[in-house]
Amino acid sequence: RSFYEIECTQQQWSKRQLSRQVGSCLYERLALSRNKDEVMRLAKEGQTIGKPSDIIKNPITLEFLGLKPDAVYSESKLENAIISKMQQFLLELGKGFLFEARQKRFTFDEQHFFVDLVFYNRLLQCYVLIDLKIEKLTHQDLGQMQMYVNYYDRYVKQDFEKPTIGILLCREKNDALVELTLPKDANIYASAYQLYLPNKALLQAKVKEWIEEFEENEELRKLEENE
């Protein structure tokens, strides 16, 4: 409740927007995308944006697009649905996002490349590139996004801006594959999306488990310090 009170005040959500964020389990999805120490900060400070990982949530919930989870659709149809619901998509992405372009073309070595969606985050002062994937994420997808990010860092961003962030929005991802493919300092993230509201009870149980583990570790740490 404390988290939603802070966010509602800071972002001036309407009643409908607040209801949607609660229904989509925003707190739980943010909490499960962070380490245990940062989970406690969410309730006390709301969502603070200071580093690239602060804008990531898993999963990203796109129930407002109107696409049925079991329906067959293409990446272009998913992109068109997002463009037609851009206001809701920006709300789902979170704080500080500004939309710049779709299918942004750049040319390198006489070849044309297209980034699905280009955003700018004014809080982080950097470009955020989003590539849409309707199938399971592959290492080729990750390599392609790495190339997009490298191009923007070298030829688009200005000196005062922070490094470009790449987000692969995919139906299914393998965290081990992502970790193995990307270097440790890569500014690239894979986020799964779903076309339905999440199971609130399941997410709440996971967060509760994390908090209890955090509190137990804190108690042990204090006991060790007193010894």
Side-chain angles (χ1 to χ4, degrees):
R1 176 172 176 172
S2 174
F3 167 80
Y4 288 113
E5 287 175 350
I6 294 170
E7 290 299 303
C8 191
T9 301
Q10 291 181 350
Q11 301 198 62
Q12 298 183 337
W13 286 336
S14 66
K15 181 179 178 181
R16 173 185 249 175
Q17 289 172 333
L18 173 60
S19 177
R20 191 265 167 185
Q21 297 291 37
V22 173
S24 68
C25 304
L26 175 63
Y27 171 76
E28 287 81 5
R29 290 186 292 129
L30 286 172
L32 293 172
S33 302
R34 283 151 177 72
N35 62 44
K36 296 177 179 64
D37 293 339
E38 292 180 325
V39 170
M40 305 305 292
R41 289 181 55 197
L42 280 174
K44 297 176 181 178
E45 303 175 17
Q47 184 186 8
T48 56
I49 306 295
K51 58 184 183 300
S53 59
D54 290 336
I55 65 175
I56 303 300
K57 61 174 71 75
N58 271 307
I60 288 182
T61 302
L62 304 178
E63 90 292 344
F64 53 85
L65 297 182
L67 297 174
K68 296 182 179 180
D70 56 350
V72 176
Y73 56 89
S74 62
E75 290 174 1
S76 61
K77 185 173 182 179
L78 177 61
E79 180 183 320
N80 287 333
I82 289 174
I83 294 297
S84 67
K85 301 286 186 179
M86 183 54 68
Q87 182 177 359
Q88 292 96 319
F89 188 65
L90 286 170
L91 178 66
E92 172 63 14
L93 286 180
K95 294 180 177 178
F97 279 93
L98 305 172
F99 176 56
E100 180 175 295
R102 67 183 296 193
Q103 291 299 312
K104 181 73 172 182
R105 189 182 80 170
F106 66 88
T107 302
F108 182 76
D109 196 23
E110 299 184 354
Q111 294 186 70
H112 299 309
F113 301 93
F114 298 86
V115 184
D116 288 341
L117 299 169
V118 178
F119 294 85
Y120 192 85
N121 190 284
R122 63 182 182 83
L123 299 179
L124 294 175
Q125 290 189 305
C126 68
Y127 283 100
V128 180
L129 313 180
I130 295 182
D131 218 14
L132 306 174
K133 301 297 177 185
I134 61 171
E135 303 295 342
K136 187 175 181 179
L137 193 66
T138 68
H139 68 278
Q140 291 95 334
D141 297 329
L142 294 163
Q144 183 183 53
M145 177 56 79
Q146 182 74 73
M147 186 265 289
Y148 291 168
V149 166
N150 289 345
Y151 180 88
Y152 263 72
D153 279 346
R154 296 173 189 176
Y155 301 108
V156 179
K157 89 174 186 68
Q158 300 185 60
D159 292 340
F160 68 88
E161 293 175 320
K162 302 292 182 4
T164 304
I165 299 171
I167 299 177
L168 289 137
L169 199 54
C170 52
R171 178 176 284 188
E172 185 180 351
K173 68 186 180 79
N174 184 315
D175 290 333
L177 175 67
V178 175
E179 184 178 351
L180 181 64
T181 304
L182 296 174
K184 291 184 178 180
D185 59 349
N187 220 13
I188 295 172
Y189 302 87
S191 289
Y193 71 85
Q194 58 187 30
L195 300 174
Y196 52 89
L197 292 174
N199 185 320
K200 181 175 288 189
L202 179 61
L203 292 183
Q204 288 177 338
K206 288 183 179 180
V207 173
K208 183 180 179 182
E209 181 181 332
W210 275 41
I211 292 175
E212 289 175 349
E213 183 177 339
F214 174 83
E215 291 175 342
E216 288 176 3
N217 291 336
E218 281 293 288
E219 289 179 4
L220 288 174
R221 182 181 63 80
K222 291 178 181 178
L223 288 172
E224 291 175 354
E225 290 177 350
N226 294 330
E227 291 179 354

